[in-house]
Amino acid sequence: MSTYRDFTLTHRGSARGTVLRTIGTRERRSHLTAPRVPTVGIDIGGTKVMAGVVDADGIILEKIRTETPDKSKSPKVVEDTIVELVLDLSDRHDVHAVGIGAAGWVDADRSRVLFAPHLAWRDEPLRDALQSRLVVPVMVDNDANTAAWAEWRFGAGRGEDHLVMITLGTGIGGAILEGGQVKRGRFGVAGEFGHMQVVPGGHRCPCGNRGCWEQYSSGNALVREARELAAADSPVAHDIIARVGGNVSEITGPLITELAREGDAMCIELLEDIGQWLGVGIANLAAALDPSCFVIGGGVSAADDLLIGPARDAFRRHLTGRGYRPEARIAKAQLGPEAGMVGAADLARLVARRFRRATRRRVERYERYAQWGLIDSPATAERKAADTRAADPTTADPTTADPTTADLTDGDTQ
């Protein structure tokens, strides 16, 4: 006779995948009724892993961070780091779900990291690997998607139904949010705006192509231009050369921004150039997507109006149909470097609700089957197990050996 345990073992894996696939179509409605419970958000980048406990209002209750393990190490090393951070936070907080914002391509089911440029992840089943080690649901998404969600829920994009997020860091990332739903594309990798080709035959990009947008408007582009001028001993670069003691390799994006704020003409001009290229790309995106708002985030956005001012000017000059159409608002992100972490935690809250409902349904079904006599009730099963152990002390305890039993009773069943 088929038992409920057989049913669960057969369907639990597929049901879990179905739950995650349906989240995207219900995000707009679901976030309003998601359980107001604390969740953990994790932002994984090339240099750091940041984890924090976030409440239902987007407030960070506690945050910890560590360095990202070297990319030459196995993916399990990064997985171990994530688990350690979650367990550390769980010691002090009642955590109900974990959301991961990964700097890489995540598949449409949000279960595998297809490729991460700064980590040794290649078609890595991250969600399932972490799910098997943590006792709470796990959600995995691209870090730009989680940042866009956070800005829409709690930051610069509140009240916008058509939002595009652009993250300016080492390269350019992005995300599309429409009608309160993150648009991930058929294969999960939408929003890679940085690899739009804007200059045919232009600068070589690490992606393998030439002329990608991020080669002209990103942290790498800013630093490259400054170092080239300094290496050529250009008169306009004397201030920055003096600041780094002649060591050109020490020129960084934050230093360029700092000198620009102090009035250095070369650094101001470089940020204007980056901003103008940013405006050109935004105009292209407006022609394709027609959002109501562009939110600019990432480390380079710290330059504020030194960057965003020129971007707005270039956007207006290059916008298709300029003068005859409404212009999208261009705003700086408000949540800073914590946006990806906060968004991952908030999206994980949706997963927590669906798993809590699934757990409740499994428990109710289990109780009905026990009432109908199709399976033993928990009390009967325990009595039989005790009798078996008494008759043969070497017999293993089936209630500890069967993970399905724990799965039926764990979690909130209110």
Side-chain angles (χ1 to χ4, degrees), residues 337-413:
E338 287 85 18
M341 180 185 74
V342 171
D346 200 58
L347 284 167
R349 192 168 288 107
L350 307 181
V351 183
R353 185 183 76 161
R354 303 194 192 291
F355 273 101
R356 284 148 65 98
R357 284 182 172 178
T359 299
R360 182 172 66 247
R361 287 194 294 269
R362 287 199 299 270
V363 171
E364 292 170 350
R365 188 181 301 116
Y366 182 92
E367 291 172 347
R368 286 199 302 271
Y369 286 0
Q371 291 173 358
W372 296 341
L374 298 177
I375 58 175
D376 291 332
S377 68
T380 303
E382 174 58 30
R383 186 178 66 253
K384 288 183 177 179
D387 293 342
T388 301
R389 290 194 298 273
D392 183 1
T394 63
T395 302
D397 184 350
T399 62
T400 59
D402 181 5
T404 308
T405 303
D407 184 58
L408 289 170
T409 56
D410 284 350
D412 182 9
T413 60

Side-chain angles (χ1 to χ4, degrees), residues 87-158:
L87 294 180
D88 184 7
L89 292 169
S90 297
D91 287 339
R92 297 176 295 282
H93 302 273
D94 183 19
V95 174
H96 289 251
V98 175
I100 310 289
W105 292 355
V106 178
D107 70 357
D109 288 342
R110 283 179 282 171
S111 61
R112 310 179 76 87
V113 181
L114 303 175
F115 172 76
H118 304 294
L119 295 168
W121 280 340
R122 304 293 183 268
D123 199 26
E124 182 67 22
L126 182 62
R127 186 194 71 199
D128 292 343
L130 292 173
Q131 185 73 58
S132 67
R133 299 178 62 178
L134 299 170
V135 295
V136 293
V138 175
M139 185 282 307
V140 180
D141 208 339
N142 172 265
D143 58 347
N145 288 340
T146 62
W149 180 264
E151 291 292 340
W152 177 69
R153 288 273 284 125
F154 311 111
R158 281 176 293 184

Side-chain angles (χ1 to χ4, degrees), residues 3-10 366 375 401-405:
T3 66
Y4 179 68
R5 179 179 183 275
D6 297 328
F7 173 86
T8 303
L9 289 176
T10 302
Y366 182 92
I375 58 175
D402 181 5
T404 308
T405 303

Side-chain angles (χ1 to χ4, degrees), residues 192-407:
E192 292 295 333
F193 307 138
H195 299 290
M196 299 186 303
Q197 291 178 287
V198 296
V199 180
H203 291 296
R204 175 71 73 180
C205 180
C207 77
N209 293 325
R210 288 186 178 274
C212 291
W213 186 26
E214 69 177 37
Q215 292 305 305
Y216 300 88
S217 184
S218 68
N220 267 356
L222 180 65
V223 171
R224 182 192 67 227
E225 295 297 313
R227 288 180 178 178
E228 286 181 0
L229 287 169
D233 200 24
S234 169
V236 300
H238 282 175
D239 286 348
I240 199 168
I241 292 172
R243 182 67 67 93
V244 298
N247 190 348
V248 174
S249 63
E250 292 185 4
I251 295 176
T252 63
L255 175 60
I256 296 168
T257 300
E258 178 185 341
L259 288 173
R261 287 184 175 136
E262 294 174 2
D264 182 87
M266 182 199 78
C267 293
I268 292 173
E269 183 178 334
L270 290 178
L271 283 168
E272 287 178 348
D273 289 345
I274 297 297
Q276 288 170 6
W277 276 112
L278 175 60
V280 170
I282 291 175
N284 289 339
L285 290 172
L289 302 174
D290 190 30
S292 59
C293 177
F294 289 94
V295 175
I296 313 300
V300 182
S301 68
D304 298 319
D305 276 347
L306 290 169
L307 173 82
I308 296 179
R312 290 191 179 108
D313 292 340
F315 170 67
R316 295 188 185 103
R317 289 198 307 272
H318 293 90
L319 180 63
T320 302
R322 51 192 173 276
Y324 297 95
R325 60 180 289 177
E327 290 185 6
R329 181 169 66 96
I330 300 176
K332 181 189 173 184
Q334 295 179 358
L335 302 183
E338 287 85 18
M341 180 185 74
V342 171
D346 200 58
L347 284 167
R349 192 168 288 107
L350 307 181
V351 183
R353 185 183 76 161
R354 303 194 192 291
F355 273 101
R356 284 148 65 98
R357 284 182 172 178
T359 299
R360 182 172 66 247
R361 287 194 294 269
R362 287 199 299 270
V363 171
E364 292 170 350
R365 188 181 301 116
Y366 182 92
E367 291 172 347
R368 286 199 302 271
Y369 286 0
Q371 291 173 358
W372 296 341
L374 298 177
I375 58 175
D376 291 332
S377 68
T380 303
E382 174 58 30
R383 186 178 66 253
K384 288 183 177 179
D387 293 342
T388 301
R389 290 194 298 273
D392 183 1
T394 63
T395 302
D397 184 350
T399 62
T400 59
D402 181 5
T404 308
T405 303
D407 184 58

